[in-house]
Structures are given as C-alpha cells and as structure tokens.
Amino acid sequence: METMRLNLGDWKQAVKELMEANQRLTLENEQLRKILKREAPSGPSSEKKAAGKPPAPSEITSDEVVGEGYDNLARLYHEGFHICNVNFGHLRTEGDCLFCLSFLNK
C-alpha cells in the first residue's frame, strides 16, 4: 500500500507539471497567433515590398544596424518575451522583468 501511495504522489506531481507546461504553452501560442495576425500581409502592396531586394551591406550604416537590433529587442519585449540573458526567448508570465528592463536601458 505504501508503494502505491508513493506512486500516486509521483503521478500527481507529474500531472501538475504537465498542466503547468500546457498552460504556459497555451498562453504562448495565443500570443504568437496575435502577433501573426498583426504582421500578416494584408494586400498586394505588402507583397511588392516583401519581394524587393534587401539593401547591400555597403548601403547600411552602423547606426541603422544598432538601432534596428535595439528596436527588434524592444518589440520582442513588448510582445511578452524575455530579452535578458537569464531567460532569453521565454514567455514573460509575471509582468516586467528587471533584467530585461536594465538591458533595454543600457
């Protein structure tokens, strides 16, 4: 009976962990769907822009590269993802992250 009780406790813990992971992935999936709907091309003009050639490396200045990278990180953070080295790419579930905010303020 004791072994069965221990096994049941292990199973309960495994179910709890799976339910938490499922909830986290569900939230992340919903956020990604919202982002995808927001960034989906909405007409032929956006297709023409996407089909255009990217600028040559000699045409890009260093200020544009730094600004673009910062903008991308800020956009990711505001979409609900960590940009700090501690949890990079994970979904932020508990509000603002001090590590991410300090990284953005550098």
Side-chain angles (χ1 to χ4, degrees), residues 1-14:
M1 287 296 271
E2 182 66 22
T3 305
M4 289 175 57
R5 188 185 66 78
L6 291 174
N7 284 341
L8 181 61
D10 291 342
W11 289 349
K12 284 182 180 180
Q13 182 64 29

Side-chain angles (χ1 to χ4, degrees), residues 10-48:
D10 291 342
W11 289 349
K12 284 182 180 180
Q13 182 64 29
V15 167
K16 178 183 171 189
E17 290 171 2
L18 288 172
M19 289 176 70
E20 288 173 354
N22 186 34
Q23 181 65 25
R24 189 185 80 249
L25 291 173
T26 301
L27 288 173
E28 186 175 355
N29 193 10
E30 287 174 8
Q31 277 197 330
L32 291 173
R33 286 178 193 263
K34 288 178 187 176
I35 292 167
L36 185 61
K37 285 181 183 178
R38 206 175 350 155
E39 294 180 358
S42 60
S45 63
S46 61
E47 291 175 7
K48 290 179 183 177

Side-chain angles (χ1 to χ4, degrees), residues 3 22 37 39 46 49 62 68-69 74 77 82 89 94 102:
T3 305
N22 186 34
K37 285 181 183 178
E39 294 180 358
S46 61
K49 289 179 185 176
S62 62
E68 182 180 341
Y77 181 76
H82 283 279
E94 298 179 8
S102 68

